[in-house]
Amino acid sequence: MTITIGVIGAGRIGRAHIEAMHLGVPGVRVGAVCGRSGDKAKTLAEEYGIASYTNDYRDVLRDPAIQAVAVCSHTESHVAIVTEAARAGKHIFCEKPLALTLDEVDKALSAVDAAGVMFMLGFNHRYDAGNMRIRRAVASGEIGTPEMVFITNRDPELQDIEYLRHSGGIFVDTVSHDFDLSRYLLDDEPEEIYARGECNVDPAVASFGDYDTVMAMARFRNGALVHYNASRRAMYGYDQRVEVFGSLGRIETRNLPEDNTVLATADGYRRPPDRHFFMERYAAAYREEGRVFAQCLKDNRPPPSGGGDGRMAMLMGMAALRSARENRTVRMDEVG
């Protein structure tokens, strides 16, 4: 059985999913690519041997050969595309965040539920081999009862200010990965969150009510405490680390260097730098995410990261932002 997918979005995320699904997943092919710029879509189609390209996503939705779509466009377009794709009967993979407000999230998920199509949200950190290993260690009791979790998420450099202005904010855009990851690792839900934020990288970020440097702590129902720290700038590279400390031990993932060599001389030890950004660091996770989506379609079973997970990440982001602005602990039942 071959699954034919249309990719909507011809930027770097669209390219990542084309590479993951079209080249990396047996039994899956990308049958169409759409980009606001027809030139970008054409370039990707020619590069990867994709039969069709367009600058209108409705062309993809009207194509009877397309069984599912991967929504990789800018966040502000997600709700409209997801809603129309659901009504067209297409199964949907959507990059996170699903939307920029809770009302928009609920609107999109209502359309999905009404249509009865499959929906998977792109929390690719769940599909990283190291994070999956941590999940197994926690679930099996290998490290005992989890008591503390530490998640570090630091970009190598500040992204374009105009992109950040429309991103939904650092808690919804960036830390949403970490909020979701903590729920996945612990298989539990948060009760309350306390957060602080600063603009230590560029004061322009404060002009639209956002932060570039944040810390947060959540208390989960089972008593585990989770610490999140995120920055828009780490001069040494993309810093992605996770540690879970339990009653019988701990397990962690460390940064991935460009290769595993270590040079030792009389001057000391040197190793290659860490992989520079998410496209390199999570390339394998994107492939696994695409494989899981395709397998769920083939098996007709719910995907492991669905709309409810996206909604919960949004609620945690809202709670963290309220906490940072009001300098107090916010209970999850205050935001929804």
Side-chain angles (χ1 to χ4, degrees), residues 23-75:
L23 302 180
V25 183
V28 174
R29 72 181 186 93
V30 175
V33 58
C34 170
R36 285 184 296 175
S37 164
D39 290 341
K40 284 188 176 181
K42 179 181 179 181
T43 298
L44 285 176
E46 291 176 346
E47 182 176 346
Y48 292 98
I50 298 169
S52 175
Y53 63 89
T54 179
N55 64 355
D56 185 348
Y57 69 85
R58 293 178 181 87
D59 292 337
V60 179
L61 302 184
R62 285 190 289 261
D63 187 343
I66 300 296
Q67 299 155 279
V69 294
V71 182
C72 307
S73 53
H74 59 93
T75 301

Side-chain angles (χ1 to χ4, degrees), residues 91 116 118 294-302:
H91 300 296
M118 185 177 296
Q295 197 62 53
C296 288
L297 291 174
K298 291 179 178 180
D299 297 343
N300 192 30
R301 58 181 171 85

Side-chain angles (χ1 to χ4, degrees), residues 80 148 153 178 189 264 275 308:
M148 293 189 292
N153 186 348
D178 310 316
E189 300 294 348
R275 295 178 185 179

Side-chain angles (χ1 to χ4, degrees), residues 93-163:
F93 171 92
C94 183
E95 265 299 330
K96 68 87 206 162
L98 173 55
L100 298 177
T101 69
L102 190 61
D103 286 345
E104 290 179 318
V105 168
D106 289 340
K107 177 183 176 182
L109 295 182
S110 292
V112 168
D113 289 343
V117 297
M118 185 177 296
F119 180 84
M120 178 170 167
L121 203 61
F123 284 121
N124 66 298
H125 291 204
R126 287 184 177 220
Y127 304 95
D128 173 72
N131 290 334
M132 289 190 290
R133 173 66 180 93
I134 292 178
R135 163 76 179 228
R136 293 194 298 272
V138 173
S140 67
E142 192 173 356
I143 60 168
T145 301
E147 297 172 349
M148 293 189 292
V149 181
F150 304 89
I151 302 179
T152 293
N153 186 348
R154 301 172 189 162
D155 290 342
E157 59 205 14
L158 189 75
Q159 292 175 278
D160 178 78
I161 287 293
E162 285 308 306
Y163 165 80

Side-chain angles (χ1 to χ4, degrees), residues 243-309:
E243 178 190 0
V244 179
F245 172 83
S247 57
L248 297 180
R250 69 182 180 92
I251 185 169
E252 67 177 40
T253 61
R254 301 177 180 178
N255 287 320
L256 297 179
E258 291 179 355
D259 61 59
N260 288 321
T261 61
V262 177
L263 173 65
T265 70
D267 296 325
Y269 291 81
R270 285 185 293 171
R271 69 168 182 84
D274 295 331
R275 295 178 185 179
H276 184 67
F277 208 18
F278 70 93
M279 302 296 288
E280 297 84 14
R281 168 62 179 82
Y282 289 108
Y286 279 119
R287 288 193 295 273
E288 176 63 11
E289 185 179 57
R291 186 198 65 78
V292 168
F293 179 59
Q295 197 62 53
C296 288
L297 291 174
K298 291 179 178 180
D299 297 343
N300 192 30
R301 58 181 171 85
S305 51
D309 297 301

